[in-house]
Amino acid sequence: MQRLQSRSPESTSVILLAAGHGTRMRPLTDNTPKPLLKVGRHALIEHHLHRLAERGFQHIVINTAYLGTQIHRELGDGQRYGLEIQYSDESDTGALETAGGIKNSLNLLRSESFIAINADIYTDFDFASLLGLDAKGLGYLVMVENPEHNPNGDFGLDHDGNFVVGLSSAQKSMTYSGIAHYQKEMFRQLPEGKLALGPILKTLIKHRQLKAIPFLGNWTDVGTPQRLAQLNSAL
């Protein structure tokens, strides 16, 4: 099994997952894709771009589907952010969900290990901190304290912060943040087309192929108009 290699931000590709319909955000997303909704002075996805550029990342892939031309038109080639942006367009097939979208984008990702980030979260997580990790397996998932809308969490952890199979045997549960460091190997053998990520993560956790990284900093899943309003108020 390959190891996640310690890499520099300059040589590590990042995929921002931005293809969803944002149905829970309606009516705000009736005519605007969720990643372009404003948090403070910038669009939600722009906060990621600024933070990635500040930490030295250069190559970004964005997968798009719903109103994807707006995202492409707004962000362009990334030059004004000091980045190179490429797009993986899923508009012909419809959004492929997270695993399917990553699978469809593998040919654009230039590094064997890469960072994946949900475009509809807001966080001050240091993405470059993922690059110094070195452990057997296929990736690391950044885990956060359970928010009000997900009180039972997604995965269980033991007292050392390792994933355990089943929440009943866990020391505590935490929620997947939508931030991860993956190996391409994890997605190469998956079928083409629409494919959810959750069941794949559960299988890999069962086989001890993924590691957890607890994060206690600023993180919001901007999933509803109310959460967006609360985030803007807090900022």
Side-chain angles (χ1 to χ4, degrees):
M1 184 65 64
Q2 291 182 333
R3 289 174 174 264
L4 286 166
Q5 298 298 316
S6 298
R7 305 179 64 91
S8 65
E10 294 85 355
S11 61
T12 302
S13 291
V14 177
I15 182 167
L16 293 175
L17 300 160
H21 279 71
T23 54
R24 291 179 300 163
M25 291 293 290
R26 288 176 175 167
L28 300 180
T29 52
D30 285 345
N31 299 298
T32 302
K34 183 160 63 167
L36 293 186
L37 296 176
K38 289 294 182 68
V39 174
R41 293 181 299 143
H42 301 291
L44 188 55
I45 196 171
E46 286 185 296
H47 288 280
H48 291 320
L49 296 176
H50 289 306
R51 190 171 295 278
L52 288 164
E54 288 170 359
R55 299 300 286 131
F57 291 92
Q58 296 181 355
H59 180 238
I60 312 297
V61 174
I62 302 176
N63 77 321
T64 60
Y66 176 68
L67 301 178
T69 55
Q70 289 189 35
I71 296 175
H72 195 163
R73 184 169 61 246
E74 180 68 24
L75 306 181
D77 62 5
Q79 184 174 354
R80 74 173 183 267
Y81 305 101
L83 299 166
E84 177 189 353
I85 296 177
Q86 292 181 284
Y87 296 88
S88 179
D89 183 10
E90 300 169 17
S91 57
D92 289 342
T93 59
L96 297 173
E97 297 199 34
T98 303
I102 293 175
K103 167 74 175 183
N104 190 61
S105 305
L106 286 184
N107 63 320
L108 296 177
L109 297 169
R110 297 172 185 170
S111 52
E112 194 60 28
S113 64
F114 61 94
I115 293 173
I117 308 167
N118 289 355
D120 59 355
I121 61 171
Y122 179 86
T123 183
D124 59 5
F125 180 77
D126 180 4
F127 302 118
S129 67
L130 293 169
L131 301 182
L133 304 173
D134 186 35
K136 290 181 179 180
L138 294 175
Y140 285 85
L141 307 183
V142 178
M143 306 297 294
V144 296
E145 296 287 348
N146 298 329
E148 290 184 3
H149 60 271
N150 191 39
N152 295 324
D154 295 323
F155 301 108
L157 281 71
D158 64 20
H159 63 277
D160 292 323
N162 300 308
F163 285 122
V164 297
V165 178
L167 290 176
S168 60
S169 60
Q171 182 78 14
K172 66 180 301 186
S173 68
M174 296 189 78
T175 292
Y176 173 47
S177 68
I179 305 167
H181 188 197
Y182 293 127
Q183 289 273 24
K184 276 187 175 180
E185 179 184 351
M186 174 175 161
F187 298 91
R188 282 199 177 100
Q189 303 305 316
L190 297 179
E192 303 283 347
K194 189 173 182 178
L195 193 62
L197 182 63
I200 297 169
L201 297 182
K202 290 178 181 178
T203 298
L204 293 176
I205 286 172
K206 182 178 179 180
H207 291 90
R208 301 185 184 280
Q209 291 300 306
L210 294 174
K211 296 287 187 179
I213 301 177
F215 174 63
L216 303 180
N218 189 5
W219 176 88
T220 301
D221 174 8
V222 189
T224 65
Q226 292 76 18
R227 285 184 228 154
L228 178 62
Q230 288 169 0
L231 178 60
N232 271 306
S233 177
L235 294 176

